[in-house]
Amino acid sequence: MKDLGGKAIALASDHAGFDKKQVTIRYLQEKGISYKDFGCFSDGSCDYPDFAHKIGKAIDNGEYETGITFCGSGQGISITANKYQNVRSALCWNVEIAVLSKQHNDANICAIPGRFVNEKETINIVEAYLSAEFEGGRHARRIKKIPVK
């Protein structure tokens, strides 16, 4: 895994992604990677936008550079986080998508579908995403065209 420069990873989930977020927290702790958990804090029913807005704001304002989110499909939390101008949240359901989302799209949030990946797949996706680096070049030109001006 690449050196994250001591920077913390932002995390958020709803109830359907809570268990995969806990798996990820254990992994980050084992690797000595700091993190900030924006919630939710149990598997009790809750609304993903409440937590997507928290992480979206934190990424948007530069408080955190990288985030990982979890909800049942990964879609709802990703769609909400993407409402923020500086957020590029990518739905990552496998390793290849996680790597490409970083390499080609400079995704700053990796959204994982908690109901569709197992614990091992979750960790593999997290590792792949955190290890990948933005390639720049032609991709940078495209990334500059994403924000609404």
Side-chain angles (χ1 to χ4, degrees):
M1 181 177 311
K2 72 177 185 175
D3 179 15
L4 299 173
K7 295 180 181 165
I9 306 296
L11 303 173
S13 74
D14 71 355
H15 60 282
F18 178 75
D19 64 330
K20 299 308 187 310
K21 183 177 68 170
Q22 297 310 110
V23 167
T24 301
I25 286 172
R26 287 191 297 274
Y27 169 79
L28 295 175
Q29 289 171 336
E30 289 170 7
K31 297 293 182 184
I33 300 170
S34 59
Y35 64 90
K36 164 71 173 167
D37 187 350
F38 285 92
C40 73
F41 300 104
S42 78
D43 60 2
S45 183
C46 62
D47 299 332
Y48 62 80
D50 296 340
F51 308 101
H53 284 300
K54 289 179 182 182
I55 196 171
K57 285 178 189 173
I59 297 285
D60 188 51
N61 70 25
E63 184 180 350
Y64 293 88
E65 291 181 10
T66 303
I68 305 171
T69 59
F70 308 83
C71 74
S73 68
Q75 291 284 19
I77 203 163
S78 185
I79 289 168
T80 306
N82 274 322
K83 297 297 181 188
Y84 293 86
Q85 192 72 348
N86 297 312
V87 170
R88 290 175 305 282
S89 177
L91 177 59
C92 300
W93 65 90
N94 66 35
V95 167
E96 184 177 21
I97 296 297
V99 170
L100 289 173
S101 75
K102 181 60 90 168
Q103 289 177 339
H104 293 188
N105 308 115
D106 199 19
N108 49 20
I109 294 180
C110 172
I112 299 176
R115 290 186 175 141
F116 297 93
V117 296
N118 62 37
E119 290 185 7
K120 184 175 189 227
E121 290 168 327
T122 298
I123 296 308
N124 289 342
I125 291 167
V126 168
E127 284 182 336
Y129 173 74
L130 294 178
S131 295
E133 295 193 36
F134 181 52
E135 292 179 351
R138 69 186 188 279
H139 305 296
R141 180 182 74 243
R142 295 168 185 155
I143 297 307
K144 289 179 184 174
K145 292 181 178 184
I146 293 173
V148 177
K149 302 195 186 218

